[in-house]
Amino acid sequence: MTNTSSTINTSVQIWNGSLWIDAGTIFPGVPLYPRQHLLPSGKVFESGANPNSKMYDPATHVWTDVANTILPGPRDAGTSVLLPLNQQDGFKPRVMILGGRFPNATDTTELIDLSVSQPQWVNGPRMAHPRIQLNATILPNGKVLVSGGSANDEDAATASLQSELYHPDSNSFSLAGTMEFPRLYHSNALLLPDATVMALGGNPQRTVYEPHIEIYSPPYLFNADGSRAKRPVINRINPGLIYYRAPFKIETRDAASIRAVVLIRPGAVTHAFDMEQRLVRLSFIASGGALYVAGPANGNIVPPGYYMVFILNSRGVPSEAKFVRFR
């Protein structure tokens, strides 16, 4: 973050519910838009664009080194994703970084497992194209839609119109349709409550902005013959305000066919990074016309605020979302 004199603001502060408290200083060389993720441990992992990844401990107010990326230089205007957290494996956190680098982008990705004692970055699969100023959007089925960007920064002639899906289970990419318009600097991609993705914006050159909005409909919304898939329906969630460690009930006539209940935090994207993005998969029991869902233990797993709740059936087809609030 910069202050009014356009210099890096090195102070760290924590909001304790009623006031801001001083909580140390940032590490030397912090980028303007650090890619930070709150982990289930309560610590904060910083994953770029700097190659020397850091961990912040709110209890001690200290930053420590974690691991250096395989790409030797900064991934400027690349992105970072906290991959889906799953209650069944204890919410083990993994982070993926993708693309970036000035002036010519890379097509490489890297992954780190932060549940182990000595985390290290490992190579992930390569993307279909080099991408800088890209977007990466988690879908309800846990896959990640990678879209936009370009091989050369702010250069529409090298725009990556081809989107792709990252599959965490197989650690692989597949192609995912072609965009109509270049999405470069200042572009955004947001998951909508109907499980589609809205792509908008882009600044191919200064003072010039892309006015068109596109909607991407993922494959899970269609049958093999191209017809629309029948979607499960959430009738009601009780209660709408959910407290930690408290179960909640999802009323649905499709209870017997449901295989996943996920929470997805509404996005907040800027400069190739969605700082709010988070998917948490919860355990549940189906009985009658309802799903009885085990609530998360604390705000490190599900930070307080609003979430979209999706249910997915045995074919991986998601419902439309209902909003709930955690506190």
Side-chain angles (χ1 to χ4, degrees):
M1 178 181 295
T2 58
N3 59 25
T4 55
S5 62
S6 298
T7 58
I8 294 290
N9 184 340
T10 60
S11 64
V12 176
Q13 295 174 288
I14 296 176
W15 176 254
N16 69 1
S18 58
L19 53 84
W20 291 99
I21 59 173
D22 291 331
T25 56
I26 197 69
F27 57 88
V30 62
L32 278 178
Y33 296 91
R35 278 66 169 117
Q36 298 180 96
H37 302 284
L38 174 65
L39 304 182
S41 65
K43 295 180 179 181
V44 177
F45 178 63
E46 187 274 334
S47 57
N50 49 298
N52 54 330
S53 308
K54 304 285 187 176
M55 189 77 76
Y56 176 72
D57 188 341
T60 63
H61 302 170
V62 172
W63 293 89
T64 55
D65 292 328
V66 178
N68 289 338
T69 59
I70 297 169
L71 191 74
R75 287 180 178 268
D76 291 301
T79 195
S80 176
V81 179
L82 175 65
L83 294 175
L85 299 170
N86 192 333
Q87 193 167 36
Q88 294 182 332
D89 66 9
F91 302 112
K92 291 183 178 181
R94 293 187 304 141
V95 168
M96 184 179 200
I97 51 176
L98 307 91
R101 189 176 63 180
F102 284 132
N104 305 118
T106 178
D107 62 357
T108 63
T109 70
E110 299 180 41
L111 296 141
I112 192 167
D113 182 350
L114 296 164
S115 69
V116 301
S117 59
Q118 294 184 314
Q120 298 293 326
W121 288 104
V122 298
N123 284 316
R126 288 181 177 267
M127 297 181 289
H129 302 283
R131 298 180 191 267
I132 189 170
Q133 310 286 3
L134 69 161
N135 286 289
T137 310
I138 298 178
L139 304 179
N141 61 1
K143 296 177 183 179
V144 182
L145 175 68
V146 179
S147 60
S150 55
N152 301 321
D153 189 39
E154 297 185 69
D155 178 13
T158 63
S160 303
L161 297 178
Q162 175 69 62
S163 299
E164 49 196 311
L165 283 171
Y166 173 67
H167 305 254
D169 290 344
S170 61
N171 191 29
S172 63
F173 282 104
S174 63
L175 299 182
T178 304
M179 306 182 84
E180 293 292 329
F181 304 96
R183 301 293 175 183
L184 308 177
Y185 188 46
H186 289 146
S187 66
N188 291 263
L190 285 172
L191 178 71
L192 300 180
D194 67 355
T196 64
V197 176
M198 176 176 63
L200 68 162
N203 191 183
Q205 60 192 61
R206 302 307 162 96
T207 76
V208 175
Y209 299 92
E210 174 53 65
H212 295 90
I213 295 175
E214 300 177 70
I215 301 294
Y216 174 70
S217 296
Y220 51 47
L221 295 178
F222 302 94
N223 296 314
D225 62 3
S227 61
R228 287 278 177 174
K230 183 178 179 181
R231 304 179 68 166
V233 175
I234 297 174
N235 300 115
R236 184 169 178 264
I237 300 179
N238 185 30
L241 174 59
I242 302 170
Y243 292 88
Y244 296 113
R245 298 189 179 277
F248 61 96
K249 178 182 178 182
I250 301 175
E251 297 175 10
T252 172
R253 62 176 180 269
D254 303 298
S257 67
I258 299 306
R259 297 294 178 268
V261 174
V262 300
L263 309 174
I264 300 184
R265 193 170 178 91
V269 184
T270 186
H271 290 79
F273 180 54
D274 188 338
M275 62 197 72
E276 287 288 275
Q277 184 163 240
R278 195 177 196 90
L279 184 152
V280 181
R281 183 170 177 169
L282 298 176
S283 300
F284 67 93
I285 295 173
S287 179
L291 307 172
Y292 296 88
V293 186
N298 55 55
N300 296 332
I301 300 166
V302 176
Y306 288 93
Y307 288 80
M308 294 183 284
V309 179
F310 292 92
I311 57 175
L312 293 86
N313 65 20
S314 57
R315 296 181 56 225
V317 181
S319 66
E320 293 195 11
K322 295 283 189 184
F323 278 86
V324 297
R325 182 184 172 198
F326 282 85
R327 76 175 193 186

